[in-house]
Amino acid sequence: MNRKWSVGAGWVFGATLAVFNPVFAQDAPLQVAGELSETSFADPPPSAGIRCWWWWLNGNVTKESITRDLEAMKEKGFSGACIFDAGGQNQRGNGNVPQGPMFGTPEWQELFRFAVREGERLGLVLSMSIQSGWNLGGPDIKPQESAKHLTWSETIVNGSGPVKLALPLPASRLGFYRDIAVLAYHREDTSSIAPISDLRQKAAFDEVSFSATDTRHLLETAVSLPGKGVSEGGAHAEAGDVRDISLYMNPEGVLQWDPPVDGRWVILRFGYTNNGSHVSTASGDWQGLVLDYMSETHFTRYWDTWIRPMLESIGAQAGKTLRYLQTDSWEQGGINWTERFREEFLERRGYDMLPYLPVVAGKIIGSREISNRFLADLRKTVSDCISDNHYRVFAEKAAEFGMGIQPESAGPHAGPFDGLKNYGHSEIMMSEFWSPSNHRPTPEQRFFVKQAASAAHIYNQPLVGAEGFTTIGKHWNDVIWADMKPSFDYSVCGGLNLAYLHTFTSSPPEMGVPGQEYFAGTHFNPNITWWKYSEAFFDYMARSQYMMQQGQFVADVLYYYGDHVPNIATLKDSDPAGALPGYDYDVINEDRLEVLRVADGRLTLPHGMSYRVLVLPDHGVLSIKALRKVAELARAGATVIGYRTQETASLVEYPESEEEVTRLAQELWGNAPVRHDAGEAGRGSRKVGRGIVAWGFTAREWLLEKGVQPDCLFLPESSDIKTGAGEILPGGPDGFGYIHHRLGNTDYYFIRSGNKESTRALVTFRIVGRLPEFWNPVSGEIRPATAWKQENGHITLPVRFPPNGSWFIIFRKPLPSAQQPVSSRQGGTSARNFTDFTPVQTLNGSWKVFFDPRWGGPGKVTFESLESWTRRPEEGIRHYSGSVVYHKIFSWKSSLTGKLWLDLGDIADVGIAHVKLNGHDLGTVWSPPFRVDVSGLLKRRNNRLEIEVINSWRNRLVGDMLLPEDQRYTKTNITIRDDWESLESGLLGPVTIGR
């Protein structure tokens, strides 16, 4: 929904905002030196190049395919690749491929060493996934080393006197079971007590969701389906009444025990077993159990067996050419036990968990609230162990070889962890984003970069990576400008600066073309039809990455996302702090909240990243440690926005913790309401020490009220800037978006439109005193803006976005002194920054078109008019895939000179074409408008135009499905399905010349 804005609502151009709070008056300077390079923008340096998941599919790679792949990457400007051995080729009904050497075997290691040597020769940065497939595990993982679940059996004893009985063996997997404890409590019938809600998720048996989601409902004490005659109150036992009777059970499971009192006793035999997770999509024989992610011991054994010898075998290239190590995203379900978990819990939470263990079996111990608090502590301890005993150890062992790690350690699957905490051990914050597909159809299921970018900003790491363009169900039918570019651009606005193509499959020549492929992912490798011109798109990404790898992110808002587990930040437009539109934000966790300080009223991290306001989660639950820190920051001068904290969700320091919560809440919020949804009536603020605590405001509302103008806004072109009458254009993947960086004295913004049609907007920037410039990431062209207005603390300029278009807007050059009047109002010299294309001549009539007979084409044919190949009667054209060259000789009928353009109109399918005119190579077009500069190249007669158009493999694959196997042009393991349709392809035009 579009949001209206007006002066009365505190909009930025009104005179009523002339008096600013000094804390908010201007952005504090950031200590980042250097300057942007026009040369590097036009021709990005190797370090800015994209990378890829370099799929070694089923281990079926050869030295020949390794060399070909790496040389192809280097030629197209890649900065590196991640060696990723995996299977999965036969999922979803696809065919198999030959099995190569198993990961880690001597034969595989010889290929690995060869790849590293080739990477060194070519100057590429390599990384490697430390297994085949995912999650981390393998064929030698013993059940004791595997991911574990708690399990139990329950026995009821009624009567008096000594007991001797065999306790039932709890349920187990793979025949693996180990005892933990035998617990007993005395209680009469408790069948009326309602069960704990969401118990399997609260006890970390299951992932909470397929995609990052709000998990704060796990903190609630609500009952689950109370039903008739079921009570919310009551408890099965008090913690002090739960007895550890483990010493009375012998190794055969026979309990001999004399209960201290007569009556009904509940006996729970607790143990642990495997959680049922196996390595997914592994090559060949690399099958097996998933490793215990909570155990340093088990990770170290795996490392010493498989990874250390591999790294030692490449000598000095470990840490030089092979620079990073990788594991993939969490997809193993829940885990909730490891051998030292009871000791870990005691060390981290400060109390013994054993009396509360019956809660995991659905019992209420103490009270429903106490039981839920224990479960929150359980999940937090699981999270701490995953972070400290897995990812920390992984990073330390990689560092021994001078290497960093880049695991997808923070989602999107909502496993039992704190995503930001896991990222704290990474050198590249690795995430993922998807192209549109039925598997992940909505933005919330496709975009996950914002959390990784926030982690980079709060942990002071420069690179925000992402597995990119992943799909499931689509093969060879992606349109670069319509599917790939908008997904990339949206992720850049979320903070992405290093894309890893998913996926680049190594396919030996004997596998044919398109060759062997993984069941998922947009396909990129030298076998794709448009590889010869792929650098046009790859250079676009490299230009964008060059810019976003410079400078420092600028944000006004810092959102604390709480200490609950699971905890995973979602896409940028989830906007938990209410900063959008107009202001950007980062997300911070409990660990980094602890190191915040206040400098000149700004919340500042040790490396200099700073923010204007801290926003708290709106559920009224903070840990006592976090609340103490919030109070400290407010006293020191910070501005904190959020409703009153009501409680902790932990038994740590409980119940004294709740008394401290009450005292600190009174200090911070006074008598403010706990929560109020009555709009302005529920808003307020109060001074605390040198700072301010506010409630009832979104971050945006507060900043506007305090005179902090939006950093960047998109307005309709018809907006009246002077009066502030108009609306804000929508954001999101299909709308407009931005990200702001600062480098030295230069501010620059990446802005984008997700509209598939050409759009116009007025874009305002919180910059004054500097000239705006357009830097075009598609072409590398740089030019000054000629239409702009400086007024009331903003520079506003009209911008035209082509379909799914994007720009960098740069502010680096000061206004000439002659343009610095006393008034702050200033402007450019023109009404518009863009002129509309006006066709002068349409190239009607016939075209000579060449379809390569080697791929079933008829050779030279004549098109009387431009049309899709799928509409032609010739089978060799309808089912053609690959390169087709259009030829036309024409006369230039106009006397116009000066700036002239050739516009190709519409290009169907992939949307890529290469143009030559009168022997001049005019380059590659891949994004609308499909237009090239022909100024000074036109002749009166006999102009020779050559347009090479390339479509995807889809049509040839559909055609081959109708042919006997020995007559097919293509070869691949991907199954061609009956519902695959041919795609409109070719130059559709109209082709025009204009200005």
Side-chain angles (χ1 to χ4, degrees), residues 178-217:
R178 296 289 185 273
D179 279 307
I180 296 171
V182 180
L183 304 178
Y185 61 86
H186 181 265
R187 180 67 193 250
E188 299 307 319
D189 181 38
T190 55
S191 60
S192 64
I193 299 176
I196 295 171
S197 62
D198 302 307
L199 179 60
R200 286 194 61 84
Q201 294 178 346
K202 286 182 176 180
F205 284 103
D206 299 330
E207 294 174 359
V208 176
S209 67
F210 161 73
S211 293
T213 187
D214 189 342
T215 63
R216 291 176 294 173
H217 68 281

Side-chain angles (χ1 to χ4, degrees), residues 1-7 9 11-13 581-582 700 710 712-731 736 755 760-764 796:
M1 180 181 297
N2 293 340
R3 304 190 193 187
K4 301 291 183 180
W5 52 270
S6 66
V7 172
W11 177 237
V12 298
F13 297 108
R700 183 175 192 274
C712 181
L713 279 178
F714 299 85
L715 316 172
E717 197 176 33
S718 60
S719 298
D720 186 338
I721 299 299
K722 185 175 180 180
T723 63
E727 63 182 22
I728 299 171
L729 294 174
F736 296 89
N755 196 313
R760 299 176 186 270
L762 285 177
V763 189
T764 72
T796 303

Side-chain angles (χ1 to χ4, degrees), residues 795-861:
I795 287 178
T796 303
L797 59 156
V799 178
R800 183 174 65 197
F801 294 90
N804 290 326
S806 56
W807 297 96
F808 282 97
I809 308 299
I810 314 298
F811 298 90
R812 56 175 177 160
K813 299 177 181 179
L815 293 175
S817 57
Q819 295 189 32
Q820 296 278 11
V822 175
S823 168
S824 65
R825 298 180 62 178
Q826 193 52 239
T829 58
S830 303
R832 288 188 171 186
N833 288 307
F834 304 89
T835 57
D836 292 328
F837 175 77
T838 303
V840 174
Q841 179 178 329
T842 301
L843 302 187
N844 293 316
S846 64
W847 294 74
K848 302 295 182 183
V849 189
F850 180 79
F851 291 84
D852 193 336
R854 293 175 299 174
W855 293 99
K860 289 184 180 179
V861 296

